Amino acid sequence: DSGVTQTPKHLITATGQRVTLRCSPRSGDLSVYWYQQSLDQGLQFLIQYYNGEERAKGNILERFSAQQFPDLHSELNLSSLELGDSALYFCASSVVDQPEAFFGQGTRLTVV
Amino acid sequence: QKEVEQDPGPLSVPEGAIVSLNCTYSNSAFQYFMWYRQYSRKGPELLMYTYSSGNKEDGRFTAQVDKSSKYISLFIRDSQPSDSATYLCAMSAPYSGAGSYQLTFGKGTKLSVIP
């Protein structure tokens, strides 16, 4: 158990809908990263938050957004969902100034 | 050319064999190198972390980084059926903002260790 908690584990929704994925980082970790894993693209970095502020952005679509709250949990919001958004979404956390990231168990999103 | 290349396998070996997994990369700014193990439908689990060039050993696992060749390896000695998983290499460059280490992953090598 990495100590990173993600909910829900599975999500099935229809095209055009909006969903919110939640992540609680390890105790003491200030950085939260979101990654998307699909069969063809592998694990891709989406966005990073550090102590409540956006720190880095990767290949994140404009339909996707995230935030980190004062208690350090983070949410990834996916809107206007398309079939191609079906993937595993992982959250990872790390201690400040340490590159090792610890991953949660992921949320499997299926868009139908 | 992708930033990180990793042979997807699958790789099948008998129990007790030495397994060699590797990745090549093109971004010379990468300084932090990691290996993750991912079981089916689970999150990636950090196995090894190495900074810059050199070797690191942890039990049956040895990680090697050769920055001059832009090549990293993971060796598994005395492989066990429980080692059957997908192995992902990951690497990061330091960014100007403190605390930002986004990882670039290889696509993973699927390993099966046959009893």
Side-chain angles (χ1 to χ4, degrees):
Chain A
D1 183 0
S2 67
V4 178
T5 303
Q6 288 188 249
T7 56
K9 286 188 171 48
H10 303 279
L11 204 46
I12 301 176
T13 190
T15 54
Q17 295 298 304
R18 172 189 168 95
V19 296
T20 297
L21 314 183
R22 183 187 167 100
C23 169
S24 294
R26 294 186 320 161
S27 177
D29 286 357
L30 298 180
S31 274
V32 170
Y33 300 80
W34 286 97
Y35 289 84
Q36 179 192 59
Q37 187 175 39
S38 60
L39 278 174
D40 55 342
Q41 295 293 324
L43 263 166
Q44 301 272 309
F45 169 70
L46 294 177
I47 196 165
Q48 180 210 358
Y49 276 78
Y50 172 72
N51 202 21
E53 293 188 2
E54 182 185 302
R55 181 58 61 90
K57 244 179 179 176
N59 298 324
I60 188 166
L61 299 171
E62 283 192 15
R63 300 183 285 108
F64 296 1
S65 65
Q67 52 186 328
Q68 186 179 27
F69 295 87
D71 66 352
L72 300 178
H73 91 270
S74 178
E75 293 180 355
L76 179 67
N77 300 295
L78 315 176
S79 61
S80 303
L81 285 166
E82 303 175 358
L83 296 178
D85 298 327
S86 296
L88 269 167
Y89 290 85
F90 288 105
C91 162
S93 72
S94 69
V95 176
V96 60
D97 287 339
Q98 294 292 327
E100 303 113 298
F102 296 88
F103 283 74
Q105 294 301 295
T107 294
R108 181 173 294 276
L109 174 67
T110 303
V111 182
V112 297
Chain B
Q1 181 190 12
K2 281 189 165 293
E3 271 194 300
V4 180
E5 300 274 6
Q6 183 176 10
D7 187 337
L11 182 62
S12 186
V13 301
E15 183 175 353
I18 296 175
V19 176
S20 171
L21 306 166
N22 52 73
C23 291
T24 58
Y25 63 94
S26 58
N27 187 347
S28 57
F30 287 146
Q31 290 188 29
Y32 307 100
F33 303 92
M34 275 148 272
W35 285 95
Y36 285 83
R37 177 174 63 194
Q38 186 175 24
Y39 292 112
S40 181
R41 297 176 176 268
K42 299 291 187 185
E45 173 194 4
L46 181 62
L47 275 180
M48 301 285 284
Y49 159 61
T50 310
Y51 170 67
S52 195
S53 284
N55 294 358
K56 186 173 184 178
E57 189 173 321
D58 184 2
R60 296 185 295 111
F61 298 90
T62 300
Q64 288 185 352
V65 175
D66 182 350
K67 288 190 70 179
S68 63
S69 303
K70 296 191 178 67
Y71 187 90
I72 71 170
S73 301
L74 177 71
F75 298 95
I76 308 174
R77 289 184 300 281
D78 188 25
S79 56
Q80 302 295 308
S82 58
D83 295 328
S84 298
T86 296
Y87 290 79
L88 300 150
C89 62
M91 39 202 87
S92 174
Y95 284 79
S96 55
S100 181
Y101 297 99
Q102 64 187 64
L103 295 173
T104 301
F105 282 85
K107 282 201 169 183
T109 300
K110 188 169 184 179
L111 171 68
S112 295
V113 181
I114 311 300

Coordinates of all heavy atoms in Angstrom, one line a residue, chain A residues 31 33 35 37 39-43 45 48 55-57 90 96-105 108, chain B residues 2 32 34 36 38 41-46 49 88 92 95 97-107:
Chain A
S31 N 3.2 17.5 -2.9 CA 3.1 17.4 -4.4 C 2.1 16.3 -4.8 O 2.2 15.2 -4.3 CB 4.4 17.2 -5.1 OG 5.1 18.3 -5.3
Y33 N 0.6 14.6 -8.4 CA 0.7 14.5 -9.9 C -0.5 13.7 -10.4 O -0.9 12.7 -9.7 CB 1.9 13.8 -10.3 CG 3.2 14.5 -9.8 CD1 3.7 14.3 -8.5 CD2 4.0 15.2 -10.7 CE1 4.9 14.9 -8.1 CE2 5.2 15.8 -10.3 CZ 5.6 15.6 -9.0 OH 6.8 16.2 -8.7
Y35 N -1.7 11.4 -13.7 CA -1.3 10.7 -15.0 C -2.4 10.0 -15.6 O -3.3 9.5 -14.9 CB -0.2 9.7 -14.7 CG 1.2 10.3 -14.3 CD1 1.4 10.7 -13.0 CD2 2.2 10.5 -15.2 CE1 2.7 11.3 -12.6 CE2 3.4 11.0 -14.9 CZ 3.6 11.4 -13.6 OH 4.9 12.0 -13.3
Q37 N -3.2 6.7 -18.1 CA -2.6 5.5 -18.7 C -3.6 4.9 -19.7 O -4.7 4.4 -19.4 CB -2.2 4.5 -17.7 CG -1.4 3.3 -18.3 CD -0.9 2.4 -17.2 OE1 -1.6 2.1 -16.3 NE2 0.3 1.8 -17.4
L39 N -3.8 2.3 -23.4 CA -3.0 1.2 -24.0 C -2.1 1.7 -25.1 O -0.9 1.2 -25.2 CB -4.0 0.2 -24.6 CG -4.6 -0.9 -23.7 CD1 -5.6 -1.7 -24.4 CD2 -3.5 -1.7 -23.1
D40 N -2.5 2.7 -25.9 CA -1.6 3.1 -27.0 C -0.6 4.2 -26.5 O 0.5 4.2 -27.1 CB -2.5 3.6 -28.1 CG -3.4 4.7 -27.7 OD1 -3.7 4.8 -26.4 OD2 -4.0 5.5 -28.5
Q41 N -0.9 5.0 -25.5 CA 0.0 6.0 -25.1 C 0.8 5.7 -23.9 O 1.8 6.5 -23.6 CB -0.8 7.3 -24.9 CG -1.5 7.9 -26.1 CD -0.5 8.4 -27.1 OE1 0.6 8.9 -26.8 NE2 -0.8 8.2 -28.4
G42 N 0.5 4.7 -23.2 CA 1.2 4.5 -21.9 C 0.9 5.5 -20.9 O -0.2 6.2 -20.9
L43 N 1.7 5.7 -19.9 CA 1.5 6.6 -18.8 C 1.9 8.0 -19.2 O 3.1 8.2 -19.6 CB 2.3 6.2 -17.6 CG 1.6 5.4 -16.5 CD1 2.5 4.8 -15.5 CD2 0.6 6.3 -15.8
F45 N 1.9 12.2 -18.3 CA 1.8 13.2 -17.2 C 0.7 14.2 -17.7 O 0.7 14.7 -18.8 CB 3.1 13.9 -17.0 CG 3.0 15.2 -16.2 CD1 2.7 15.1 -14.8 CD2 3.2 16.4 -16.7 CE1 2.7 16.2 -14.0 CE2 3.2 17.6 -16.0 CZ 2.9 17.5 -14.6
Q48 N 0.5 18.8 -12.3 CA 1.0 18.7 -11.0 C 0.6 19.9 -10.1 O 0.6 21.0 -10.6 CB 2.5 18.7 -11.0 CG 3.2 18.6 -9.6 CD 4.5 19.2 -9.4 OE1 5.0 19.8 -10.4 NE2 5.1 19.2 -8.2
R55 N 1.8 23.6 -10.5 CA 3.2 23.7 -10.7 C 3.7 23.4 -12.1 O 4.6 24.0 -12.6 CB 3.9 22.9 -9.6 CG 5.4 22.9 -9.7 CD 6.0 24.3 -9.5 NE 5.6 24.9 -8.2 CZ 6.3 24.8 -7.1 NH1 7.4 24.1 -7.0 NH2 5.8 25.4 -6.0
A56 N 3.1 22.4 -12.7 CA 3.5 22.0 -14.0 C 2.3 21.4 -14.8 O 1.4 20.8 -14.2 CB 4.7 21.0 -13.9
K57 N 2.4 21.6 -16.1 CA 1.3 21.0 -16.9 C 1.9 20.2 -18.0 O 2.9 20.6 -18.6 CB 0.5 22.2 -17.6 CG -0.9 22.3 -17.2 CD -1.6 23.5 -17.8 CE -3.0 23.6 -17.4 NZ -3.7 24.7 -17.9
F90 N -4.3 7.9 -12.8 CA -3.5 7.7 -11.6 C -3.1 9.1 -11.0 O -2.8 10.0 -11.6 CB -2.2 6.9 -11.9 CG -2.4 5.5 -12.2 CD1 -2.3 5.0 -13.5 CD2 -2.7 4.6 -11.2 CE1 -2.5 3.7 -13.8 CE2 -2.9 3.3 -11.4 CZ -2.8 2.8 -12.7
V96 N 8.4 17.1 -1.0 CA 8.9 18.2 -1.7 C 10.4 18.0 -1.9 O 11.1 17.4 -1.1 CB 8.8 19.5 -0.8 CG1 9.4 19.4 0.5 CG2 9.3 20.7 -1.5
D97 N 10.9 18.3 -3.1 CA 12.3 18.2 -3.5 C 12.8 16.8 -3.6 O 14.0 16.5 -3.5 CB 13.2 19.0 -2.6 CG 13.1 20.5 -2.9 OD1 12.6 20.8 -4.0 OD2 13.4 21.3 -2.0
Q98 N 11.9 15.8 -3.8 CA 12.2 14.4 -4.0 C 11.5 13.9 -5.2 O 10.3 14.1 -5.4 CB 11.9 13.5 -2.8 CG 12.6 13.8 -1.5 CD 14.1 13.5 -1.7 OE1 14.4 12.5 -2.3 NE2 14.9 14.3 -1.0
P99 N 12.2 13.3 -6.2 CA 11.6 12.9 -7.4 C 10.8 11.6 -7.3 O 10.0 11.4 -8.2 CB 12.8 12.8 -8.4 CG 13.9 12.5 -7.5 CD 13.7 13.2 -6.2
E100 N 11.0 10.8 -6.3 CA 10.3 9.6 -6.2 C 8.8 9.8 -6.0 O 8.5 10.5 -5.0 CB 10.8 8.7 -5.1 CG 12.3 8.4 -5.2 CD 13.0 9.0 -4.0 OE1 13.0 10.3 -4.0 OE2 13.6 8.3 -3.2
A101 N 8.0 9.3 -6.9 CA 6.6 9.5 -6.8 C 5.9 8.2 -6.4 O 6.3 7.1 -7.0 CB 6.0 10.0 -8.1
F102 N 4.9 8.2 -5.6 CA 4.2 7.0 -5.1 C 2.8 7.1 -5.6 O 2.1 8.1 -5.4 CB 4.2 7.0 -3.6 CG 5.6 6.8 -3.1 CD1 6.4 7.9 -2.8 CD2 6.2 5.5 -2.9 CE1 7.8 7.8 -2.4 CE2 7.5 5.4 -2.5 CZ 8.3 6.5 -2.2
F103 N 2.4 6.0 -6.3 CA 1.1 6.0 -7.0 C 0.0 5.4 -6.3 O 0.2 4.4 -5.5 CB 1.3 5.3 -8.4 CG 2.0 6.1 -9.4 CD1 3.3 6.3 -9.4 CD2 1.3 6.6 -10.5 CE1 4.0 7.0 -10.4 CE2 1.9 7.3 -11.5 CZ 3.3 7.5 -11.4
G104 N -1.2 5.9 -6.5 CA -2.4 5.3 -6.0 C -2.8 4.1 -6.9 O -2.1 3.8 -7.9
Q105 N -3.9 3.5 -6.6 CA -4.4 2.3 -7.3 C -5.1 2.7 -8.6 O -5.5 1.8 -9.4 CB -5.2 1.4 -6.5 CG -4.4 0.8 -5.3 CD -3.3 -0.1 -5.9 OE1 -3.5 -1.1 -6.5 NE2 -2.1 0.4 -5.6
R108 N -10.4 3.6 -12.9 CA -10.6 3.2 -14.3 C -11.9 3.9 -14.8 O -13.0 3.6 -14.3 CB -10.8 1.7 -14.3 CG -11.0 1.1 -15.7 CD -11.0 -0.4 -15.8 NE -9.7 -0.9 -15.5 CZ -8.7 -1.1 -16.3 NH1 -8.9 -0.7 -17.6 NH2 -7.5 -1.6 -15.9
Chain B
K2 N 10.5 8.9 -29.8 CA 10.0 9.1 -28.5 C 11.1 9.4 -27.5 O 12.2 9.0 -27.7 CB 9.2 7.8 -28.1 CG 7.9 7.7 -28.7 CD 7.1 6.5 -28.0 CE 5.7 6.5 -28.3 NZ 5.0 7.7 -27.7
Y32 N 17.1 11.9 -13.1 CA 16.5 11.0 -12.1 C 15.9 9.8 -12.8 O 15.1 10.0 -13.7 CB 15.5 11.7 -11.3 CG 16.0 13.0 -10.7 CD1 15.7 14.2 -11.3 CD2 16.8 13.0 -9.6 CE1 16.2 15.4 -10.8 CE2 17.3 14.2 -9.1 CZ 17.0 15.4 -9.7 OH 17.6 16.6 -9.2
M34 N 14.0 6.0 -12.6 CA 13.2 5.1 -11.7 C 12.7 3.9 -12.5 O 12.5 3.9 -13.7 CB 12.0 5.8 -11.1 CG 12.3 6.6 -9.9 SD 11.4 8.1 -9.7 CE 12.4 9.3 -10.6
Y36 N 9.5 1.2 -12.1 CA 8.3 0.8 -11.4 C 7.8 -0.6 -11.9 O 8.0 -1.0 -13.0 CB 7.2 1.8 -11.8 CG 7.3 3.2 -11.1 CD1 8.1 4.2 -11.6 CD2 6.6 3.4 -9.9 CE1 8.2 5.4 -11.0 CE2 6.7 4.7 -9.3 CZ 7.5 5.6 -9.8 OH 7.6 6.9 -9.2
Q38 N 4.3 -2.8 -12.2 CA 2.8 -2.7 -12.2 C 2.2 -4.0 -12.5 O 2.4 -4.6 -13.5 CB 2.4 -1.7 -13.3 CG 0.9 -1.3 -13.3 CD 0.5 -0.3 -14.2 OE1 1.2 0.0 -15.2 NE2 -0.6 0.4 -14.0
R41 N -4.0 -4.2 -13.5 CA -5.1 -3.4 -12.9 C -4.7 -2.8 -11.6 O -5.6 -2.5 -10.7 CB -6.4 -4.3 -12.7 CG -6.9 -4.7 -14.1 CD -8.1 -5.6 -13.9 NE -8.7 -5.9 -15.2 CZ -9.6 -5.2 -15.8 NH1 -10.2 -4.2 -15.3 NH2 -10.1 -5.6 -17.0
K42 N -3.4 -2.6 -11.3 CA -3.0 -2.0 -10.1 C -2.1 -0.7 -10.5 O -1.8 -0.5 -11.6 CB -2.1 -2.9 -9.3 CG -2.8 -4.2 -8.8 CD -3.8 -3.9 -7.8 CE -4.4 -5.2 -7.2 NZ -5.5 -4.9 -6.3
G43 N -1.8 0.1 -9.4 CA -1.0 1.2 -9.7 C 0.5 0.9 -9.7 O 0.9 -0.2 -9.2
P44 N 1.3 1.7 -10.4 CA 2.7 1.4 -10.5 C 3.3 1.5 -9.1 O 3.0 2.4 -8.3 CB 3.2 2.5 -11.4 CG 2.1 3.0 -12.1 CD 0.9 2.8 -11.2
E45 N 4.2 0.6 -8.8 CA 4.9 0.5 -7.5 C 6.4 0.8 -7.7 O 7.1 0.2 -8.5 CB 4.7 -0.9 -6.9 CG 5.5 -1.2 -5.7 CD 5.6 -2.7 -5.4 OE1 5.1 -3.5 -6.2 OE2 6.1 -3.1 -4.4
L46 N 6.9 1.8 -7.0 CA 8.3 2.2 -7.1 C 9.2 1.1 -6.6 O 9.1 0.6 -5.5 CB 8.6 3.5 -6.3 CG 10.0 4.0 -6.4 CD1 10.4 4.4 -7.9 CD2 10.1 5.2 -5.5
Y49 N 15.2 3.7 -7.5 CA 15.5 5.1 -7.9 C 17.0 5.3 -7.9 O 17.7 5.0 -7.0 CB 14.8 6.0 -6.9 CG 15.4 7.4 -6.8 CD1 15.3 8.2 -8.0 CD2 16.0 7.9 -5.7 CE1 15.9 9.5 -8.0 CE2 16.5 9.2 -5.7 CZ 16.5 10.0 -6.8 OH 17.0 11.2 -6.8
L88 N 8.0 -0.7 -15.8 CA 8.1 0.6 -16.4 C 9.3 1.4 -16.0 O 9.6 1.5 -14.8 CB 6.8 1.4 -16.0 CG 5.5 0.8 -16.4 CD1 4.4 1.3 -15.4 CD2 5.1 1.3 -17.7
S92 N 13.2 11.7 -15.1 CA 12.7 13.1 -14.8 C 13.9 14.0 -14.9 O 15.1 13.7 -14.6 CB 12.1 13.2 -13.5 OG 11.8 14.6 -13.2
Y95 N 13.2 20.8 -12.8 CA 12.6 22.0 -13.4 C 12.9 23.2 -12.6 O 13.4 23.1 -11.5 CB 11.1 21.8 -13.5 CG 10.7 20.9 -14.7 CD1 10.8 19.5 -14.5 CD2 10.3 21.4 -15.9 CE1 10.5 18.7 -15.5 CE2 10.0 20.6 -16.9 CZ 10.1 19.2 -16.8 OH 9.8 18.3 -17.8
G97 N 11.1 25.3 -11.2 CA 10.4 25.4 -10.0 C 10.7 24.3 -9.0 O 10.7 23.1 -9.4
A98 N 11.0 24.6 -7.8 CA 11.3 23.6 -6.8 C 10.2 22.6 -6.6 O 9.0 22.9 -6.6 CB 11.6 24.2 -5.5
G99 N 10.6 21.3 -6.5 CA 9.5 20.3 -6.2 C 8.8 19.8 -7.4 O 7.7 19.2 -7.3
S100 N 9.2 20.1 -8.6 CA 8.5 19.6 -9.8 C 9.3 18.6 -10.5 O 10.4 18.9 -11.1 CB 8.2 20.8 -10.7 OG 7.5 20.4 -11.9
Y101 N 8.9 17.4 -10.5 CA 9.6 16.3 -11.1 C 8.6 15.4 -11.9 O 8.4 14.2 -11.6 CB 10.3 15.4 -10.0 CG 11.3 16.1 -9.2 CD1 11.0 16.6 -8.0 CD2 12.6 16.3 -9.7 CE1 12.0 17.3 -7.2 CE2 13.6 17.0 -9.0 CZ 13.2 17.5 -7.8 OH 14.2 18.1 -7.0
Q102 N 8.1 15.9 -13.0 CA 7.2 15.1 -13.8 C 7.9 14.0 -14.4 O 9.0 14.2 -14.9 CB 6.4 16.0 -14.8 CG 7.3 16.6 -15.8 CD 6.6 17.6 -16.7 OE1 6.1 18.6 -16.3 NE2 6.5 17.3 -18.0
L103 N 7.3 12.8 -14.4 CA 8.0 11.7 -14.9 C 7.6 11.4 -16.4 O 6.4 11.5 -16.8 CB 7.6 10.4 -14.1 CG 8.1 10.5 -12.7 CD1 7.5 9.3 -11.9 CD2 9.6 10.4 -12.6
T104 N 8.6 11.0 -17.2 CA 8.3 10.5 -18.5 C 8.6 9.0 -18.5 O 9.6 8.5 -18.1 CB 9.3 11.2 -19.6 OG1 9.1 12.6 -19.5 CG2 9.0 10.7 -21.0
F105 N 7.6 8.3 -18.9 CA 7.6 6.8 -18.8 C 7.9 6.1 -20.1 O 7.5 6.6 -21.2 CB 6.3 6.3 -18.3 CG 6.0 6.5 -16.8 CD1 5.5 7.6 -16.3 CD2 6.3 5.4 -15.9 CE1 5.3 7.8 -14.9 CE2 6.1 5.5 -14.6 CZ 5.6 6.7 -14.1
G106 N 8.5 5.0 -20.0 CA 8.5 4.0 -21.2 C 7.2 3.4 -21.2 O 6.4 3.5 -20.2
K107 N 6.9 2.6 -22.2 CA 5.6 2.0 -22.3 C 5.5 0.7 -21.5 O 4.4 0.2 -21.4 CB 5.3 1.7 -23.8 CG 4.8 2.9 -24.6 CD 4.0 2.6 -25.8 CE 3.4 3.8 -26.4 NZ 2.6 3.5 -27.6

